[in-house]
Amino acid sequence: GSFTTVGGTTRYNIARLNADGSLDETFNPDATDNYVYSIALQPDGKILIGGYFTTVGGTTRNYIARLNADGSLDTTFDPNPNGYVHSIAIQPDGKILMGGWFTTVGGTTRNYIARLNANSSLDTSFNPNAESIVNTIALQPDGRILMGGRFTSVGGTERNCIARLNANGTLDSAFNPDAGDPDPEVSSEVYSIALQPDGRILIGGTFTYVG
């Protein structure tokens, strides 16, 4: 988040708690300059963080970083997007989805959503091309990818605030909830997506209609 202390102890924007809620004093990544918006856990215990920060532990990391299990920076991981990261999701194959307010990743054009290989290199086969900000990403068990945000198109096709991608990043043309507001001056957004066990999809945001 955007805090500077936990239980009276300095912790800049990220901390780890023990099971009883007390501060884990061994863990201090020190994202000092801006807040952490998203956290995702890899199966190997490493921790992905995204947000508005540009340094972690005194080392430059623009908007996304990976920590070792002890909170130290994984120096091998540096995707370098040019803008904020709002959401991170890890696929079963280890690839990493990220959404936010960026238009390049490592110098390559990627509008608001991208996929990384496990080594932090860009997955060049994946390019959904959202028209505006992606706030949230959720993975379905079948490999398809749900995304929500402020966008009005994905890959040149109209999609208001929510869309579903096939596993390869192409748009699922059968899925179009069409969240928004009848007033064109209102900036509608989807901020959160969650999947129920029965396959139904919960969405939250600033919209006033769906469909």
Side-chain angles (χ1 to χ4, degrees):
S2 58
F3 51 86
T4 57
T5 65
V6 176
T9 300
T10 298
R11 283 296 182 277
Y12 288 106
N13 305 311
I14 182 169
R16 186 162 65 193
L17 307 177
N18 297 309
D20 64 0
S22 62
L23 181 66
D24 178 351
E25 296 188 359
T26 69
F27 183 92
N28 188 13
D30 195 27
T32 56
D33 68 328
N34 219 320
Y35 63 81
V36 174
Y37 209 100
S38 183
I39 299 172
L41 297 175
Q42 294 190 170
D44 62 2
K46 290 186 177 182
I47 303 157
L48 291 156
I49 63 174
Y52 285 35
F53 55 83
T54 57
T55 65
V56 176
T59 300
T60 298
R61 280 299 179 277
N62 291 319
Y63 314 115
I64 186 169
R66 186 162 62 193
L67 309 175
N68 298 308
D70 63 0
S72 61
L73 182 67
D74 178 353
T75 58
T76 68
F77 184 91
D78 188 13
N80 195 29
N82 71 336
Y84 310 143
V85 172
H86 289 175
S87 185
I88 300 171
I90 301 169
Q91 296 186 170
D93 63 2
K95 290 187 176 182
I96 299 158
L97 293 157
M98 57 187 245
W101 200 335
F102 52 84
T103 56
T104 67
V105 177
T108 300
T109 298
R110 281 298 180 277
N111 290 319
Y112 309 105
I113 183 169
R115 185 162 65 191
L116 307 174
N117 298 307
N119 64 1
S120 86
S121 63
L122 183 66
D123 179 352
T124 57
S125 70
F126 182 92
N127 189 13
N129 192 28
E131 170 269 339
S132 191
I133 303 164
V134 173
N135 292 319
T136 182
I137 298 170
L139 295 173
Q140 294 191 172
D142 63 3
R144 287 185 290 184
I145 301 157
L146 292 155
M147 53 186 273
R150 191 189 295 178
F151 52 84
T152 58
S153 70
V154 176
T157 300
E158 183 177 330
R159 284 295 182 276
N160 290 316
C161 303
I162 182 168
R164 184 163 63 191
L165 307 175
N166 299 307
N168 64 0
T170 58
L171 184 67
D172 179 353
S173 59
F175 182 92
N176 188 13
D178 189 29
D181 189 283
D183 184 350
E185 299 301 314
V186 174
S187 180
S188 299
E189 296 188 48
V190 168
Y191 287 110
S192 187
I193 300 173
L195 295 171
Q196 296 188 169
D198 63 3
R200 288 188 285 186
I201 301 158
L202 293 158
I203 64 173
T206 57
F207 52 85
T208 58
Y209 70 71
V210 176

